[in-house]
Amino acid sequence: MSKAVIEHADAAETFNKDESYVDWHDETLWFVRTKRDKSSKLLPEWENLRETASQIKNYVLSHMDDLLEAFEKNAKANGVHVHWAADAAEHNEIVLGILKQHKVDRMIKSKSMLTEECHMNEFLTKNGIEVIDTDLGERIVQLRQEPPSHIVLPAIHLKKKDIGDLFHEHLGTDAGATDPQYLTEAARQHLRDKFLTRKAALTGVNFAVAETGAFVVCTNEGNADMGAHLADVHIACMGFEKLIPLQAHLGVFLRLLARSATGQPVTTYSSHFKKPREGQEMHLVIVDNGRSVQLGRADFRNSLKCIRCGACMNTCPVYRRSGGHSYHNAVAGPIGSILAPNLDMTKNADLPFASTLCGSCSNVCPVKIDIHDQLYKWRQVLVQGGHVPQAKEIGVKAMSMVLSQPRFYQWSGRLGRSVMRTLPFMVNNSLNPWFKQREMPEPPKESFRDWYVRNRE
């Protein structure tokens, strides 16, 4: 039974109750954003790389059918078993079938946002399969029985004390321990046995190369390599948008990915998988799950260019001060807000409104997705389709009427400034969402237009 969805504004209000915690979360993510800026400025060709990556992805979206067929043909020639899944349910059944075929009831998994999207862990657990996440951040949130809050930094919402308390409870570390090296070593010892005893390992896919039938997995911890190389069965799961045409194109994307995500020149491990080792079985599950629909939406198809770097989250003022869990979706932040409505407009209708439309997300995107434009366009689609609350729909129509009539707009502005000056309690109250987390500004004496008319000469 699925949990009731808490809308972004309500979840963000809960997140914002601890002001010092919110400030820390905001500053931590902005620190990652500044690392991205410094790293990108070291490359004179940075903007050329972004444009090249964008054009390669444009080609992929326009030739998806041919590239998928070529990739499947080459992967099969390499000895890989290729499976196709139309949706999340079929993906989960395929993975379960592979595990049952090999009589596997315990599996390790490295980071895969696709499996989060498909709610695979919960499905396998209900069917008697133990799944252990081996990425440190993913293991932390798994022990807490919560989803990741960030696609690159799954536990970014937690402080060292939170992790110390968690490890004390589950791993038996010293009470009150917060030393990162000590906690990391405890996690390493905890996971070592899992790597050595599990017969099946599942990984995500960062890039799949149509030319060779190979795929690349990028990690900083090496957990994907250890799991895949020790297991008898390697299952890799990917959305079909992970394709790139040529092996030579990897150089473009690998230079962009880590710099955009964390400010590193390259991920610590960029592991290339082409064929199973002797005695091993390798399976690749290619998933649609709404991607074909998104590909057919002219205004939104570019969202499929995403390489899951998380840069848009690190820069977004709304994400930084509302937290990833407020987005009630596997992929949070600006990119998640343009992907999620495609899966379920009613459930995710609130997300495109969780944005200031400042455009910072589009500015940092390594593949030049027009994220803020798509957020705006999704708002239009959702309002026109009746997927927003009636109060919001009435408000939008009222503002449309005001903004389309210059004299009415000017009169409304004067009235509003007058009310804020003489009757401040009319806006400074709990019924005004803006007032809940901030003080309202002092009303200006005149509008910019009035000032301009008075001073234009």
Side-chain angles (χ1 to χ4, degrees):
M1 188 173 181
S2 60
K3 296 180 180 178
V5 172
I6 301 176
E7 289 205 352
H8 181 273
D10 296 327
E13 184 175 348
T14 301
F15 183 84
N16 272 270
K17 287 181 178 178
D18 187 340
E19 186 176 347
S20 62
Y21 176 79
V22 174
D23 289 343
W24 167 82
H25 187 265
D26 180 25
E27 292 164 4
T28 301
L29 286 163
W30 187 250
F31 170 72
V32 181
R33 159 67 205 268
T34 58
K35 286 178 64 181
R36 174 261 177 205
D37 292 347
K38 292 175 182 176
S39 180
S40 65
K41 285 180 172 55
L42 295 175
L43 292 182
E45 67 272 28
W46 177 255
E47 289 304 320
N48 287 336
L49 284 172
R50 290 182 69 213
E51 180 62 26
T52 301
S54 178
Q55 292 301 328
I56 292 171
K57 282 292 187 177
N58 284 338
Y59 178 87
V60 170
L61 297 181
S62 300
H63 298 79
M64 187 66 74
D65 52 346
D66 294 334
L67 291 171
L68 281 170
E69 288 181 359
F71 178 69
E72 179 189 33
K73 177 183 176 182
N74 291 326
K76 285 183 173 180
N78 295 334
V80 179
H81 299 272
V82 179
H83 309 262
W84 297 87
D87 53 27
E90 188 173 4
H91 163 271
N92 293 342
E93 290 289 353
I94 289 171
V95 173
L96 178 62
I98 296 169
L99 296 175
K100 283 185 173 181
Q101 178 188 342
H102 292 274
K103 296 181 172 57
V104 170
D105 60 6
R106 299 185 301 172
M107 180 181 76
I108 54 174
K109 177 170 78 74
S110 65
K111 187 183 293 180
S112 164
M113 293 312 299
L114 175 68
T115 60
E116 294 288 343
E117 175 188 320
C118 296
H119 304 288
M120 186 200 73
N121 281 18
E122 298 93 320
F123 173 82
L124 292 180
T125 300
K126 288 177 182 177
N127 284 275
I129 307 294
E130 179 197 56
V131 182
I132 299 293
D133 281 292
T134 58
D135 174 270
L136 178 56
E138 293 279 353
R139 185 58 179 152
I140 289 168
V141 295
Q142 185 181 38
L143 289 173
R144 287 172 61 93
Q145 298 184 345
E146 63 185 21
S149 65
H150 190 289
I151 58 178
V152 175
L153 312 165
I156 191 64
H157 59 291
L158 300 174
K159 292 187 175 183
K160 289 184 289 186
K161 182 184 182 305
D162 300 321
I163 297 168
D165 293 344
L166 180 75
F167 280 14
H168 174 64
E169 177 185 353
H170 292 277
L171 307 187
T173 56
D174 297 338
T178 59
D179 177 61
Q181 186 171 347
Y182 170 72
L183 296 176
T184 302
E185 181 61 28
R188 177 179 293 169
Q189 297 304 322
H190 160 68
L191 289 170
R192 184 68 47 155
D193 173 68
K194 310 294 189 292
F195 284 117
L196 295 173
T197 58
R198 276 24 175 196
K199 300 294 185 183
L202 186 146
T203 69
V205 172
N206 288 93
F207 305 103
V209 185
E211 177 188 28
T212 63
F215 58 93
V216 177
V217 181
C218 301
T219 70
N220 277 328
E221 300 170 25
N223 55 306
D225 300 73
M226 186 172 289
H229 291 315
L230 291 174
D232 296 332
V233 181
H234 176 191
I235 306 171
C237 303
M238 58 173 273
F240 67 56
E241 80 282 6
K242 297 292 185 177
L243 278 178
I244 60 173
L246 303 175
Q247 180 85 3
H249 294 152
L250 276 171
V252 175
F253 290 98
L254 291 176
R255 296 180 78 194
L256 287 166
L257 177 61
R259 286 180 170 88
S260 297
T262 60
Q264 299 169 249
V266 70
T267 47
T268 307
Y269 299 89
S270 299
S271 306
H272 299 241
F273 295 93
K274 186 174 182 180
K275 60 182 180 179
R277 70 169 192 277
E278 187 175 349
Q280 186 189 50
E281 200 167 288
M282 183 178 289
H283 294 262
L284 187 65
V285 187
I286 304 174
V287 182
D288 186 326
N289 201 37
R291 287 161 174 79
S292 292
V293 176
Q294 191 83 325
L295 186 62
R297 299 181 191 272
D299 286 336
F300 306 113
R301 69 198 306 262
N302 281 353
S303 61
L304 294 174
K305 292 159 63 174
C306 177
I307 60 173
R308 301 296 193 270
C309 68
C312 61
M313 301 179 185
N314 302 335
T315 197
C316 177
V318 176
Y319 174 88
R320 296 200 319 266
R321 301 196 69 85
S322 63
H325 290 154
S326 65
Y327 290 81
H328 58 77
N329 202 60
V331 180
I335 187 64
S337 297
I338 62 175
L339 292 172
N342 179 62
L343 295 173
D344 189 330
M345 289 193 195
T346 301
K347 175 186 173 183
N348 299 305
D350 58 314
L351 298 182
F353 293 89
S355 169
T356 64
L357 301 182
C358 66
S360 186
C361 50
S362 301
N363 290 340
V364 300
C365 178
V367 289
K368 292 191 170 183
I369 301 172
D370 54 337
I371 302 175
H372 71 294
D373 287 334
Q374 292 190 38
L375 287 166
Y376 173 64
K377 290 173 182 176
W378 265 121
R379 294 182 184 185
Q380 294 174 307
V381 170
L382 294 167
V383 171
Q384 291 167 3
H387 295 286
V388 298
Q390 189 175 18
K392 186 185 286 288
E393 187 174 354
I394 292 172
V396 169
K397 290 180 179 178
M399 286 305 299
S400 176
M401 182 181 69
V402 171
L403 295 173
S404 63
Q405 302 179 60
R407 290 190 178 182
F408 188 33
Y409 170 73
Q410 293 163 23
W411 175 83
S412 299
R414 293 190 187 100
L415 177 63
R417 291 191 296 275
S418 177
V419 168
M420 290 178 69
R421 278 195 299 268
T422 58
L423 302 171
F425 62 88
M426 293 290 288
V427 290
N428 295 341
N429 61 68
S430 60
L431 297 177
N432 178 5
W434 280 86
F435 185 69
K436 290 181 181 179
Q437 306 298 340
R438 58 180 68 77
E439 293 184 6
M440 297 300 290
E442 182 180 341
K445 296 178 181 178
E446 59 184 348
S447 69
F448 173 77
R449 182 185 182 281
D450 292 340
W451 176 90
Y452 180 77
V453 170
R454 185 165 52 81
N455 291 279
R456 64 187 302 177
E457 296 179 0

